[in-house]
Amino acid sequence: MDNNATTQPRQEVIEALAEAEACCWANSASPHRLGQKAKSVLNRAKQSIAFHLGCRAGELVITSGATEANNLALAGVFEAEMFRRQPRRRILVSTIEHPSVLETAEVLRARGAVVDHLEVDSSGRLSLADFRSKLTQDTLLVSVMAANNEVGSLQPIAHVAEACHQVGAYCHTDATQWLGRMPVNLAEWGVDLLSASAHKLHGPKGVGLLFARAGISLSEQQHGGGHQGGKRSGTVNVPGAVAFARALQAAADQSDWDSVKALRERLFEGLSKSAGPIERISPEDDCLPNTLLLRFNGVDAEALMASAPSICCSPGSACSNATLLPSHVLIAMGLDRKAADECLRFSLSQANTTEEIDQAIKILAEACSYVRSMIQEAA
């Protein structure tokens, strides 16, 4: 129940990866026969991915994951802009972005960027009033994630992109959690840059992508060869790209998420009855179908996880919970430190079953009862 952190690769993806590793191991930049074979396979994989995104294969950069793609999007656009006679320096990022966006923005601030943060409401959705007030003619780039990794809230990306273009700014979205769970249509969204990772949709780790609309200048962040049109140096992970394409195809073939949403609601209702008092932090509407973040009132989330070790869930983002700080997402949504420390995120997949949900409810209810009894004894 921690699929927003990572997913189990599908068997067909594992097989596609193994086959590509065996037959397409050559460097796709090499001019000889084996290299050109690998290049052909890479191109077909990119064409397949582009089909599902609604873009051109030449607009895709294969990366090591969404973290690298986010770095390339923000730093690449900003550094390329600095070559202009009168460069724009203003960058807007929402307060609930992934650390790879927030921290990259802070690095760029040290290089001369003017960084401002966009507020969200109590459901984790972008405040459009705050966005409009901060979007100006000197804005270079706006970065707003399509779906939040902790609470699952969805953002009005098409609206954000349209507003950006009205002032001549670029729009970037981190679609890591959205891709593979709901359709992505870049023509409808109108974004200029999009990041994603294969391992969030039952693909392998170590491969991701950046969509960069044709005509956008990106300053390379990895130097040493000028691969992928000078946007990202390094031997391209051809087997990873093949597996990414296969994972995306499988996600499109198995697009019925109503059953997952039903399991999510079964989990919420069961825990409400047996592990209460609890509070639903994830919005009920305009939310990822698999994501449920709950506050177990009066129960520390870490203590609850320790008391239910067979349940794989998360106190927040797996990319940031190594620190002792509360979730920046929950703080931005208005929760205080105590409330944030009592929250657990459950993120399901199509592999979860009703039996697993019922078992989880029973285990978590018993764990909640135990932790609350220990608190009462200590008091």
Side-chain angles (χ1 to χ4, degrees):
M1 299 184 177
D2 199 20
N3 288 274
N4 286 7
T6 196
T7 56
Q8 181 179 10
R10 300 183 193 272
Q11 183 59 38
E12 61 202 279
V13 173
I14 295 173
E15 292 171 1
L17 178 65
E19 181 180 351
E21 287 281 12
C23 72
C24 307
W25 50 264
N27 190 328
S28 59
S30 297
H32 51 63
R33 178 178 57 84
L34 289 178
Q36 291 307 293
K37 178 183 178 182
K39 182 178 180 179
S40 176
V41 169
L42 172 63
N43 288 338
R44 287 200 299 272
K46 292 175 71 173
Q47 288 166 1
S48 175
I49 295 170
F51 171 79
H52 290 288
L53 295 181
C55 67
R56 288 179 284 180
E59 296 175 309
L60 298 177
V61 181
I62 302 300
T63 68
S64 62
T67 289
E68 183 193 342
N70 286 338
N71 276 259
L72 177 56
L74 271 67
V77 165
F78 179 77
E79 292 182 5
E81 178 73 8
M82 291 306 102
F83 288 100
R84 297 183 184 273
R85 181 173 297 178
Q86 293 182 316
R88 297 188 182 201
R89 297 178 179 271
R90 188 171 176 81
I91 296 175
L92 304 180
V93 296
S94 86
T95 52
I96 62 170
E97 294 301 305
H98 188 273
S100 61
V101 168
L102 293 173
E103 293 178 22
T104 300
E106 290 308 305
V107 169
L108 296 178
R109 188 197 298 274
R111 299 178 187 172
V114 178
V115 179
D116 207 345
H117 294 93
L118 303 172
E119 297 175 1
V120 297
D121 61 21
S122 59
S123 65
R125 295 194 185 94
L126 187 70
S127 167
L128 293 179
D130 183 61
F131 168 57
R132 293 190 191 100
S133 71
K134 292 175 178 175
L135 183 66
T136 62
Q137 293 291 334
D138 63 345
T139 301
L140 169 64
L141 177 69
V142 176
S143 183
V144 176
M145 59 172 30
N148 184 259
N149 51 315
E150 293 192 34
V151 297
S153 51
L154 309 182
Q155 304 296 350
I157 295 302
H159 178 90
V160 172
E162 182 180 5
C164 287
H165 296 159
Q166 288 174 356
V167 299
Y170 296 121
C171 179
H172 165 254
T173 188
D174 180 346
T176 303
Q177 298 295 342
W178 185 300
L179 189 64
R181 293 173 183 148
M182 292 176 291
V184 172
N185 189 320
L186 286 168
E188 292 181 2
W189 281 10
V191 297
D192 304 292
L193 303 124
L194 176 145
S195 308
S197 269
H199 77 98
K200 301 292 188 176
L201 54 138
H202 303 282
K205 295 173 181 64
V207 62
L209 64 83
L210 175 67
F211 158 77
R213 192 173 299 281
I216 294 178
S217 297
L218 287 177
S219 179
E220 191 176 27
Q221 300 302 299
Q222 291 186 183
H223 305 282
H227 301 79
Q228 300 197 68
K231 293 182 175 67
R232 198 261 190 187
S233 286
T235 302
V236 181
N237 181 358
V238 175
V242 170
F244 198 160
R246 191 67 192 88
L248 196 51
Q249 178 63 57
D253 292 342
Q254 302 176 32
S255 58
D256 179 16
W257 281 83
D258 288 344
S259 59
V260 179
K261 187 175 181 179
L263 291 178
R264 183 192 71 185
E265 295 308 306
R266 185 184 185 94
L267 178 63
F268 172 65
E269 292 168 6
L271 290 174
S272 296
K273 294 175 182 177
S274 60
I278 65 173
E279 180 182 353
R280 185 176 191 149
I281 306 300
S282 293
E284 292 188 50
D285 301 315
D286 293 325
C287 181
L288 286 171
N290 74 320
T291 303
L292 179 66
L293 188 132
L294 299 174
R295 178 188 177 187
F296 294 81
N297 297 63
V299 178
D300 180 79
E302 297 282 359
L304 181 55
M305 286 187 66
S307 300
S310 62
I311 306 299
C312 298
C313 57
S314 172
S317 168
C319 298
S320 59
N321 65 13
T323 71
L324 297 178
L325 298 175
S327 162
H328 70 282
V329 172
L330 300 183
I331 297 300
M333 291 170 57
L335 277 70
D336 59 24
R337 173 70 185 260
K338 180 178 183 299
D341 286 344
E342 294 175 349
C343 291
L344 280 181
R345 179 192 69 185
F346 303 91
S347 44
L348 310 180
S349 80
Q350 292 170 327
N352 286 118
T353 64
T354 301
E355 291 73 21
E356 288 177 337
I357 297 299
D358 293 343
Q359 184 181 13
I361 292 169
K362 180 177 183 296
I363 293 171
L364 287 165
E366 293 173 352
C368 274
S369 177
Y370 171 74
V371 173
R372 287 193 175 110
S373 67
M374 295 300 291
I375 293 173
Q376 291 175 355
E377 286 184 17

